[in-house]
Amino acid sequence: MRTRTGILLLALGAGTAHTAIAAQQVVENETADGGAATEAVAADGDIVVTALKREQAVNSVPMSITAVTGDTLTQLGVTDVLSLQKVVPGFFTQDSSYGTPVYYLRGVGFYEQSAIVKSPVGVYIDEVPLPYPVMSAGASFDLERVEVLKGPQGTLFGANATGGAINYVAAKPTRDFQAKINGSYGRFDIARLGGSISGPLSDTLAARVSLQHESGGDWQTSLTRPGDTIGSRNFTQGRFQLLWEPGDAFRAHFTASGFTDRSDTQQAQFVGAFAQTPTTVLAPGLLTYPIADRSREADWNARFPLKKDNSLYQLALRLDADLNDDITLTSISAYSKYKQDQGLDADGTDLTIVGLHVTGDLESYNQELRFAGALGTSGQWVVGANYEKSNAFENNLNDVGLSTTSRTFRALGLPDINLVSFEGRTRFESYAIFGNLDYDLGDLVTVHLGGRYTDTDLDFEGCTRTLGNNTFGIGVARLLGIAAPAVGSCATLVTTPTGLNFGLARKSLPEDNFSWRVGIDFKPAANQLIYANVSRGYKSGAFSSLAGSAEGQYVPAVQEELTAYEV
């Protein structure tokens, strides 16, 4: 177990630990019942958030949070998770060399190129998780607001939120007819056109349809082929919602959402040759290859189509039933399915060193059931349970003909490796129970207690598969003096009952943990909040699906523990 301890913000005064960004002109949104109160902005101008799984003005939430209205996101050009960096202090993103997004919040992140590994910064839409970072590309459109909670959020949002949680709140169906359209155009022919239609279907049923398309021209230029460009954008996303309210005590909200991405992939920049060992044999011409010195410069070859064919769809159903005046039952069920198919040139040159064709298939089922209520006029409580089952597969087909490994095998009299693949499959299952209590000790002081017990089981299968001319399999076999694997079979060394052989590596990682938060806040005057929190969260363990020539290379990263102190 890895442990991190963070001493976080010192923030005293009138809500100085919170960032609430709203448009200068606040546009009043109709509520589901057609009333005049706003859902996004409270009477005193504060943005209303659900950080503690109940509605509160942002400046009364006893933790560090950034909340931004949907209109403001549109005005500032925040169109995806990556561009949240513009408005969220302490949030940083980057794409790995395999195209998988990596998120950091307050410096907490997990750089992993594999698409089947979870991030310590959780992303949600209406409290529905997007369990893997690659699923989050279509989250940021037609929004009421976004809430970014900083520090461990394991108590209410579960594992894999040690850095924090990003919760997008979609604009909901309305009781009166509304329609809007927006668009923009910019450099490199980047165009965005989107809109929504919302209104009643009956006295008890309302619907909302939202669509957005983004297109753009090439922006990367080749270092060695003047006039050759790449980088076009072709991204479409949509969301369909139904809101059924047959009475005051029951609400059902169904959402079907998704995206398709047919854009070009981003190609790497060459900044220098690196010899891993003194005996490394570099590809001819690599030491004299031109170095990129501008942000748009890169280079590539067309070994694989450098395009994306990625898609996601998600179905979610939320049910809220008021059991009495004090207790509400909430059920959130969701199914997510993501398909990935994209080509990349990861070496930054027009040589065939690291050409990739990455495919993946990820699916996840999530179920949360919780009760929330009041303790008279002094307290608010939440108790519940959560279940997740996810299956993820990834394959990285590589042409590494001029790689250092391929050049080394030449000493054995073998031709260059032309094809090899790295694959991994994970099965993740998680059970959790949780509770949270906010209790007032008089008018000025409130204490906060929360905890969650989580039990997880992660199973993994993976290997490096020898393909094409079988150079990789034959080369490893000759070095070890054993029989070569057949073309298309696993060339990862594993221990079998008959000794060392080639095969599929299989491993399992059962884990459990207890996340918690203890806090107290003091309200000396109106619109002032002083608080202190101690919280602990966990990021679940992970296996990488990338290259492993021996079973021992698939040793997992075990769960990570982070304890944070905030005043």
Side-chain angles (χ1 to χ4, degrees), residues 386 431-435 451-456 511-515:
N386 184 277
Y431 300 86
I433 55 173
F434 61 91
R452 175 184 292 242
Y453 174 76
T454 304
D455 185 275
T456 63
E511 296 177 318
D512 67 340
N513 58 70
F514 182 72
S515 301

Side-chain angles (χ1 to χ4, degrees), residues 547-565:
S549 55
E551 186 178 24
Q553 291 175 271
Y554 291 112
V555 173
V558 298
Q559 67 181 356
E560 180 177 274
E561 172 191 297
L562 186 146
T563 304
Y565 304 85

Side-chain angles (χ1 to χ4, degrees), residues 469-489:
N469 57 14
N470 203 18
T471 291
F472 181 78
I474 294 172
V476 173
R478 285 189 185 178
L479 289 172
L480 298 175
I482 59 178
V487 176
S489 64

Side-chain angles (χ1 to χ4, degrees), residues 329-475:
L329 169 64
T330 299
S331 169
I332 301 177
S333 309
Y335 175 78
S336 309
K337 178 77 169 179
Y338 174 79
K339 301 280 287 187
Q340 179 169 279
D341 188 331
Q342 60 186 34
L344 295 159
D345 191 334
D347 54 61
T349 73
D350 63 355
L351 308 173
T352 307
I353 300 175
V354 187
L356 301 169
H357 182 204
V358 182
T359 56
D361 190 338
L362 291 72
E363 65 174 358
S364 181
Y365 172 75
N366 290 266
Q367 174 64 53
E368 180 165 301
L369 188 69
R370 68 175 187 256
F371 295 86
L375 293 175
T377 59
S378 299
Q380 299 282 338
W381 57 268
V382 176
V383 294
N386 184 277
Y387 173 74
E388 177 187 341
K389 185 175 183 179
S390 297
N391 293 290
F393 174 79
E394 182 181 29
N395 180 277
N396 294 275
L397 178 63
N398 286 244
D399 188 333
V400 291
L402 298 179
S403 68
T404 55
T405 302
S406 184
R407 309 301 292 174
T408 301
F409 280 178
R410 280 196 165 196
L412 300 175
L414 297 172
D416 291 338
I417 302 169
N418 59 355
L419 286 176
V420 65
S421 72
F422 316 135
E423 67 180 52
R425 184 185 303 276
T426 60
R427 299 175 184 87
F428 179 84
E429 193 166 24
S430 170
Y431 300 86
I433 55 173
F434 61 91
N436 191 79
L437 174 66
D438 305 308
Y439 194 80
D440 297 331
L441 301 178
D443 296 331
L444 301 181
V445 178
T446 304
V447 294
H448 309 276
L449 301 171
R452 175 184 292 242
Y453 174 76
T454 304
D455 185 275
T456 63
D457 190 14
L458 178 62
D459 297 319
F460 172 82
E461 295 179 348
C463 75
T464 297
R465 200 172 290 276
T466 181
L467 300 167
N469 57 14
N470 203 18
T471 291
F472 181 78
I474 294 172

